[in-house]
Structure formats: structure tokens, C-alpha cells
Amino acid sequence: MNSWDLGHIITNYVNQKGDTISHKKLQKLLYYVEAWHLVNFDNPILNEDFQAWVHGPVVPELYHKLKEFGFNDLKVVNDEFETVDEEINSIISRNKISDETIEFVYSVLDRYGSLTSFELELLSHSEAPWLEARQDYPPHKPCTNIISKDRMKAFYSNIN
């Protein structure tokens, strides 16, 4: 699945829980969904890679689609269907996402979704996959190194 589609699912779920979601927060939530999916299903849910940017893990393709929103809150824009729920169901169907996978995504969001974008950034900055991908880059220097999915799986497999 691509980050755009999963981003819609995540944004909708977080909004339904009464929380807001910025572009920065969405990137971090995508990262944690991917990390825990690797641990629990032994394969990635996303077909894109994360890079170790200054503010944490980022899928560049999604960043470029959403950068115009800046730090503003995101909402699912529904152009094609009568309701946002129909839009989400269409994404789930089109990507052939199982009920088990959707429930798993929601469980990760229940764990991380109430954290702010800054809290998620600090958390990712304290963990080995992002730190190792950054190598010797200074804290505020741009970096496009890929965060290894193998390293993500190994690291998060050792966390409860």
C-alpha cells in the first residue's frame, strides 16, 4: 500500500477519536504503523521507504504531496464519495486490506495517536533505527538516508 492511502486511513481514525493530526504527526504515525507491522506480520505494509530527516522519519513522496499544509491539521478530503467512511472503505477494498490488518493499524494508532507531533518526534529521535540512519549528521543538517526496514523490525521486536 502507498503512504497516501494509509495516510487517509490514519487521519480519519485519529480525527474520529477526537484528536488532530498534522502532516508531521502523520509521518510519525505511518512510521510506527510500519515498524509494528514489520514485527507482527513479518512484511511491510508500505511500499515506500522512510528517510531519516531532521524532524524524524519521513516518506518523501507523501511529504511532497502534503507540504502545502505546513503545520495545519489534516482532514480526509472526500472528492469521490458521499461520505468519508465510503472513501475509507474504498481505500481498504482497493488495497485488499484484511480486517485483521485494519484492526492492527487501529491498535497502533490507539497506542501512539494521542501523542503530539513533537512527542512522536522526540520518541523517534531516541530510537536506534532513526539514530543509526542519521549516522554522523549534525542534528539540524538535512539527511536523506533510508531507515532500514530490517533494522526497524529488529529494533521494535525487542520492545514490549
Side-chain angles (χ1 to χ4, degrees):
M1 171 181 341
N2 65 48
S3 58
W4 180 254
D5 282 351
L6 186 54
H8 276 75
I9 292 168
I10 289 171
T11 300
N12 184 59
Y13 187 78
V14 171
N15 287 165
Q16 285 183 337
K17 291 288 189 178
D19 284 319
T20 59
I21 186 165
S22 64
H23 179 194
K24 180 175 158 184
K25 181 174 178 174
L26 175 60
Q27 290 279 358
K28 305 316 161 250
L29 291 175
L30 281 164
Y31 173 79
Y32 285 108
V33 167
E34 177 74 325
W36 289 109
H37 193 275
L38 289 163
V39 170
N40 287 277
F41 293 93
D42 200 33
N43 64 356
I45 193 169
L46 292 174
N47 51 23
E48 299 121 319
D49 288 314
F50 289 88
Q51 293 180 357
W53 285 22
V54 169
H55 294 287
V58 170
V59 174
E61 296 88 347
L62 183 62
Y63 172 83
H64 292 296
K65 283 185 176 182
L66 295 176
K67 66 183 174 185
E68 68 188 70
F69 291 98
F71 292 104
N72 296 315
D73 293 336
L74 302 174
K75 296 205 179 307
V76 175
V77 177
N78 175 29
D79 295 332
E80 194 176 334
F81 298 91
E82 286 189 34
T83 67
V84 171
D85 287 341
E86 287 180 30
E87 169 91 7
I88 298 303
N89 288 335
S90 171
I91 291 168
I92 291 169
S93 176
R94 182 175 66 243
N95 287 282
K96 299 178 178 66
I97 305 169
S98 70
D99 290 345
E100 177 187 22
T101 299
I102 281 295
E103 289 306 314
F104 171 79
V105 168
Y106 293 161
S107 73
V108 173
L109 297 175
D110 287 342
R111 182 174 178 181
Y112 293 96
S114 63
L115 297 175
T116 67
S117 64
F118 185 67
E119 290 169 327
L120 290 164
E121 177 181 342
L122 289 177
L123 183 60
S124 69
H125 282 196
S126 71
E127 297 171 336
W130 180 84
L131 289 166
E132 291 169 5
R134 292 282 304 176
Q135 298 172 345
D136 294 327
Y137 279 81
H140 297 291
K141 182 170 168 104
C143 170
T144 58
N145 291 347
I146 291 175
I147 300 173
S148 160
K149 291 190 183 193
D150 288 339
R151 185 63 184 111
M152 289 167 64
K153 180 180 176 192
F155 177 80
Y156 294 101
S157 292
N158 291 315
I159 296 178
N160 293 330

